[in-house]
Amino acid sequence: MQPAEILPRDRLIVPLDLPSVELAEAMIARLGDSVTFYKIGYQLAYAGGLPLVRKLVDSGKKVFIDLKLHDIGNTVARGVESIAKLGATFLTVHAYPQTMKAAVEGRAGSGLKILAVTVLTSYDDGDMHAAGYRLGVSDMVEARAQQAQVLGVDGIVCSAEEAAALRKVIGHQMCLVTPGIRPAGSATGDQKRIMTPARAIAAGADYLVVGRPIIEAADPRAAAEAIHQEISQSLA
Ligand code: C5P
């Protein structure tokens, strides 16, 4: 996917990290047309949020299902077939070759795109070694991104700090989706490796996932519009 093909307003993805469907729907109503792309993760999906995917898609929004699947190939492929029927745009899987291959097979013929999570951003080299891996984080991120590309995966979830290095490894066909984005002056929360929207776009990110700076803002709509403005300026 070439970045130029993405509508500028679709580059901002807002995670509905909320405990209930009611609260998520209230936030969607508050954000109105300032947000075109939502992410549904563990918290909302396991609180009955998956039917919201179809509802959002039917109302013209795009949805990223962030369930980071990982299981035996057959289970992943059949699960992805079911998810593909919900009408979402993106689904995450962990970047294990069997899992990625199965996910690409499961979404065949649908509009669903598969994003690979290479190494969780909470992992450092010590965590990798403790988990039995020989490679450190950056070597593993690059190796898994290359495998994702060979297997036909559509994009990678990475920190904005990894984006420039990954672009060198995978080129410009795959999309890069980056969380850990904070507009200048906003609270970092538990994110450690953060970047502003403008710098993340300049580093090669295609889509920015921005949660708390929007959903915890006094005026979420104004916060989303300010990020759109920063993205447009960075693209100009
Ligand atoms: O509130 P905040 O902007 O930190 O939200 C970031 C979102 O991106 C959350 O839904 C979080 O689970 C997700 N995410 C992340 N880091 C990753 C992958 C996903 O923060 N490496």
Side-chain angles (χ1 to χ4, degrees):
M1 182 183 300
Q2 291 295 332
E5 292 168 15
I6 307 167
L7 290 175
R9 288 185 82 77
D10 287 349
R11 288 175 182 269
L12 171 64
I13 301 178
V14 175
L16 291 166
D17 293 332
L18 293 160
S20 73
V21 174
E22 291 70 29
L23 286 170
E25 288 187 317
M27 181 55 65
I28 293 162
R30 270 186 96 180
L31 288 166
D33 59 9
S34 69
V35 174
T36 58
F37 213 145
Y38 286 104
K39 179 168 93 71
I40 294 181
Y42 285 5
Q43 186 182 20
L44 187 59
Y46 293 130
L50 280 181
L52 200 53
V53 177
R54 174 52 65 194
K55 230 171 146 176
L56 281 165
V57 171
D58 287 347
S59 72
K61 306 293 184 191
K62 294 189 165 63
V63 182
F64 167 3
I65 300 180
D66 189 13
L67 289 181
K68 298 185 179 70
L69 303 188
H70 184 207
D71 206 313
I72 60 168
N74 182 61
T75 302
V76 171
R78 302 292 84 82
V80 173
E81 268 175 25
S82 294
I83 291 172
K85 294 186 184 126
L86 299 175
T89 300
F90 288 144
L91 168 71
T92 43
V93 302
H94 282 285
Y96 287 81
Q98 279 188 13
T99 301
M100 295 190 285
K101 189 167 181 280
V104 168
E105 178 197 321
R107 70 92 202 262
S110 77
L112 182 68
K113 292 184 164 55
I114 304 298
L115 301 179
V117 176
T118 53
V119 176
L120 293 168
T121 48
S122 57
Y123 274 50
D124 61 18
D125 288 348
D127 295 307
M128 295 298 285
H129 297 142
Y133 294 107
R134 190 173 38 84
L135 296 182
V137 173
S138 58
D139 289 339
M140 186 68 106
V141 167
E142 288 194 10
R144 287 182 167 173
Q146 277 170 331
Q147 287 173 329
Q149 186 170 38
V150 169
L151 291 167
V153 167
D154 304 284
I156 305 280
V157 180
C158 65
S159 73
E161 284 178 359
E162 290 160 352
L166 272 179
R167 277 281 173 237
K168 289 192 190 126
V169 176
I170 60 166
H172 290 272
Q173 291 305 311
M174 296 175 86
C175 65
L176 294 183
V177 180
T178 59
I181 303 296
R182 290 291 179 269
S186 65
T188 56
D190 58 356
Q191 295 283 9
K192 290 187 184 127
R193 293 181 285 155
I194 56 165
M195 228 183 238
T196 63
R199 284 192 53 222
I201 294 279
D206 297 311
Y207 294 90
L208 311 181
V209 180
V210 190
R212 286 162 290 179
I214 294 175
I215 64 175
E216 291 180 0
D219 184 345
R221 201 185 166 98
E225 289 298 350
I227 292 169
H228 282 307
Q229 210 171 5
E230 193 174 335
I231 292 173
S232 318
Q233 280 163 1
S234 175
L235 291 168

